[in-house]
Amino acid sequence: MATNYKQPDHKLTLIPGPIEFSDSVLGAMATPSQAHTSPEFVKTFQSVLQNLRKVFKSTDSDAQGYVVAGSGTLGWDVAGANLIEKGDKVLVLSTGFFSDNFAEALKVYDAQVDVVTAPVGDVLPFDQIEQQLKKEKYTAVTITHVDTSTAVVSDVAKISEIVKKVSPETLIVVDGVCSIGSETIEFDKWGIDFALTASQKALGTPAGLSVFFASSRAVQKAVNKEKPAAFFASLKKWTPIMKAYESGSAAYFATPAIQTITALKVSLDEIVGRGVDSTISKHEEASTNFKNELEALGIKLVPVNRDVAAHGLTAAYFPEGVNGPDFLGKLASKGFVVAGGIHKELVGKYFRVGHMGFSIYEGHVDRLLAAIKETLKELK
Amino acid sequence: MATNYKQPDHKLTLIPGPIEFSDSVLGAMATPSQAHTSPEFVKTFQSVLQNLRKVFKSTDSDAQGYVVAGSGTLGWDVAGANLIEKGDKVLVLSTGFFSDNFAEALKVYDAQVDVVTAPVGDVLPFDQIEQQLKKEKYTAVTITHVDTSTAVVSDVAKISEIVKKVSPETLIVVDGVCSIGSETIEFDKWGIDFALTASQKALGTPAGLSVFFASSRAVQKAVNKEKPAAFFASLKKWTPIMKAYESGSAAYFATPAIQTITALKVSLDEIVGRGVDSTISKHEEASTNFKNELEALGIKLVPVNRDVAAHGLTAAYFPEGVNGPDFLGKLASKGFVVAGGIHKELVGKYFRVGHMGFSIYEGHVDRLLAAIKETLKELK
């Protein structure tokens, strides 16, 4: 794998997911075939499900982690199909493109969705959230922990506290696709009911896995739901399967993505080996350094201040006088792939850099920074 | 990879999926990170979507192939959420466990499902199918091309002919999870509307991809459906994405499983390189040899005759006087993993061997046969 990895035509992928993967993770992707019921795979999957509890910070044995072939998006369907009944009211706290798409997904499951939208690059004021929760009775509230379109991080702890105070029955649903593994999350302590992510971000594994975690009351609601609104995304189907694998035995509902789950095992071992808290601190440090350096170059960040700026990625405006496509093209020619912007109000005006997982331990971000400096000299 | 592959603790996985994978396919699983919008990945995905047309035998440019992170099961949701309206009648032709589960999945999408069930190990008589189609107006009929629980193959060509004659408006939906790549399928010629499979069977790629193909009228129905009943499984969402990648440009709905799709590219290149028809013939040959040898050992097949016996796997009763778990255990100790039975009426009485893809080119099936002979001597 190391050989492949160093191929001269491999560009360092520093987008906000898929991220770069460690050689061990890539090696695990090439694990020879195993039966989904084999003792080897059962052991692998058991380790993954056990380690997810450490990553999500949950010790409640009635809460449950899930890993299903899919993408982060599938997690929205899981929430919609299992936690919502037709006509239920859901409050979506929107900080960008992905929050709005979550709202769209919930409407497919016949939720009545109220979307309250933060100004671009900012979060919603806490009192606005509190007022909204007092106005209506919501079955669930969704928080996009980090909206990958704006790189804004929401204060899930504080919002959860407000929900618990005003409307403790309301389920707290967290889209953690761009936060889990790079931002502090306390599933049990904050009283989260459902949090979803995907393999290709801070979990450090190739794309192809939908990863989520449900609280005891969310699991109960889902398994007792008379008619889940989806088959493949049914928690009623998946809960006994995950419980079986986690306890060390095989069960079948749909064939798991054996190689990608094996890679996730390796990556979670790396994360848990370093310590989850230490991993989060390292992301904060890498993020702060990178953002400081960009600002020192006169580059303005999309988040309105550092308190609302995420640590797994940076969204920043193209420097004045610099043409966006030229900037991205120059970086590509130097061997770095960073992402354009996708927020509808800002598209074409900004770029996004992912600094998650492997890359922050391997100096990739420093190398990118050097390339950005070079590029700016060349373009100005 | 070759090194890994030859690890002494690697058992040859000869179950009806996941199958063994070629070294090149496993190597592709370890492809270093690429952005889902990168020119490298666009080229890979384009090749996959183009080659799928060859595998499904479709030249209709209005028909469309799809590859989505998931499993074969997700294909049932895609059929249910996009091709069926609430209350629509669907006829399920059942030849086993998987046919029945497809029926259950369709009920989740509020289809009114009639299941007609063949005797275990057999298919339905054509006149029974014809009578049923004359009795009711069905929006769709589902055919499980090969039911992996019984290893029975249905005559999709002939059934399609009956459907076209009696009820040409009825959509023909084929579960090809255990057939596509190992049995002849003629998507256009037979007038199939929707056929679904998964990566880990005869397509020769690790689990994690739901692969399906929709006819022009199925695509039209799906994209014009006012409200698809799922978000992640929505053809309205995925159709423009697949069209973009197939025509050589990137588009985003949910992050594709880049490494597994890259592995699928390698595997489809291998299949198309050998020729799709030649690949099917090779499966027929390997299957016939294996079944002949088993019968010569006095082992009885589950399918009632060779006309209804699938070519990608064999289901056979444990020989008289031989304890099933002992038989499977002995084979495992010799380095071979084969599967137990899962059909509720026969569970514990039979076993299943997959002989698809890589293994039939590498002599794995002959090695298994030698191990079966040895095992029988030891146990009798």
Side-chain angles (χ1 to χ4, degrees), chain A residues 20-82:
Chain A
E20 286 291 332
F21 312 114
S22 76
D23 290 355
S24 327
V25 166
L26 287 177
M29 286 295 285
T31 301
S33 193
Q34 292 173 351
H36 43 298
T37 54
S38 66
E40 294 82 1
F41 179 65
V42 169
K43 215 175 136 192
T44 299
F45 206 176
Q46 180 178 34
S47 161
V48 163
L49 292 165
Q50 288 173 344
N51 273 338
L52 279 185
R53 294 188 184 271
K54 296 181 187 156
V55 172
F56 282 80
K57 297 282 182 83
S58 175
T59 55
D60 178 1
S61 60
D62 293 328
Q64 185 60 51
Y66 302 77
V67 179
V68 174
S71 81
T73 302
L74 179 65
W76 297 343
D77 286 74
V78 173
N82 296 281

Side-chain angles (χ1 to χ4, degrees), chain A residues 158-340:
Chain A
K158 180 71 185 160
I159 297 170
S160 298
E161 206 181 296
I162 296 167
V163 177
K164 297 290 173 198
K165 189 182 71 181
V166 180
S167 178
E169 314 76 28
T170 300
L171 296 177
I172 299 173
V173 176
V174 175
D175 180 337
V177 168
C178 207
S179 78
I180 288 160
S182 58
E183 309 285 344
T184 299
I185 190 152
E186 292 278 355
F187 192 88
D188 285 2
K189 198 168 144 193
W190 297 349
I192 298 171
D193 289 292
F194 189 76
L196 62 103
T197 187
S199 47
Q200 78 277 8
K201 308 231 174 190
L203 295 185
T205 307
L209 300 176
S210 180
V211 178
F212 41 91
F213 211 91
S215 70
S216 168
R217 69 173 178 172
V219 170
Q220 283 314 308
K221 181 166 187 170
V223 300
N224 293 320
K225 191 174 182 183
E226 208 182 324
K227 188 167 168 293
F231 188 73
F232 184 67
S234 161
L235 290 181
K236 211 166 179 165
K237 292 290 184 188
W238 283 117
T239 302
I241 306 298
M242 297 299 146
K243 284 190 185 300
Y245 276 103
E246 190 167 354
S247 70
S249 56
Y252 176 75
F253 169 55
T255 309
I258 292 163
Q259 280 65 17
T260 316
I261 289 174
T262 305
L264 179 59
K265 188 226 174 257
V266 172
S267 188
L268 292 181
D269 281 349
E270 288 172 2
I271 292 169
V272 169
R274 286 179 197 126
V276 174
D277 292 338
S278 146
T279 302
I280 305 297
S281 307
K282 179 78 180 173
H283 280 84
E284 289 173 357
E285 187 194 311
S287 171
T288 302
N289 288 344
F290 185 68
K291 288 174 172 63
N292 286 346
E293 293 269 9
L294 286 191
E295 289 192 328
L297 292 169
I299 293 177
K300 197 176 162 254
L301 305 181
V302 171
V304 294
N305 64 56
R306 290 294 181 94
D307 288 346
V308 300
H311 300 104
L313 83 163
T314 295
Y317 294 97
F318 292 119
E320 226 164 301
V322 168
N323 173 283
D326 288 353
F327 180 77
L328 298 177
K330 281 269 183 199
L331 287 177
S333 72
K334 294 177 200 301
F336 297 90
V337 183
V338 306

Side-chain angles (χ1 to χ4, degrees), chain B residues 129-321:
Chain B
I129 298 172
E130 185 161 346
Q131 291 316 312
Q132 191 63 38
L133 285 165
K134 283 177 175 163
K135 237 188 275 177
E136 289 277 3
K137 196 78 207 157
Y138 292 106
T139 301
V141 56
T142 75
I143 310 164
T144 305
H145 197 171
V146 171
D147 198 295
T148 319
S149 72
T150 54
V152 161
V153 61
S154 290
D155 188 339
V156 177
K158 178 71 183 161
I159 298 170
S160 297
E161 208 182 295
I162 296 167
V163 177
K164 295 292 173 200
K165 188 182 72 179
V166 179
S167 178
E169 313 76 28
T170 300
L171 295 176
I172 298 172
V173 175
V174 175
D175 179 337
V177 168
C178 208
S179 78
I180 288 162
S182 58
E183 308 287 344
T184 299
I185 190 152
E186 291 279 353
F187 192 88
D188 285 1
K189 199 168 144 195
W190 298 349
I192 299 169
D193 288 292
F194 189 76
L196 63 101
T197 186
S199 47
Q200 78 276 6
K201 308 231 174 189
L203 295 186
T205 307
L209 300 176
S210 179
V211 177
F212 39 92
F213 211 92
S215 70
S216 166
R217 69 174 179 173
V219 171
Q220 282 314 307
K221 181 164 188 172
V223 300
N224 293 322
K225 190 173 183 185
E226 207 180 326
K227 188 168 167 294
F231 188 71
F232 184 67
S234 161
L235 290 181
K236 211 167 179 164
K237 292 290 184 188
W238 283 117
T239 302
I241 306 299
M242 297 300 146
K243 284 190 185 299
Y245 276 103
E246 190 168 353
S247 70
S249 57
Y252 177 74
F253 169 56
T255 308
I258 292 164
Q259 279 66 17
T260 315
I261 290 175
T262 305
L264 179 59
K265 188 224 175 261
V266 171
S267 187
L268 291 181
D269 281 349
E270 288 172 2
I271 292 169
V272 169
R274 286 179 198 125
V276 174
D277 292 338
S278 145
T279 302
I280 304 298
S281 307
K282 179 79 179 170
H283 281 83
E284 289 172 355
E285 186 194 311
S287 172
T288 301
N289 288 343
F290 185 67
K291 289 174 171 64
N292 287 346
E293 293 270 9
L294 286 192
E295 289 192 329
L297 291 168
I299 293 177
K300 195 175 163 256
L301 305 182
V302 171
V304 293
N305 64 55
R306 290 295 180 93
D307 287 347
V308 300
H311 300 104
L313 83 162
T314 295
Y317 293 98
F318 292 120
E320 226 163 301

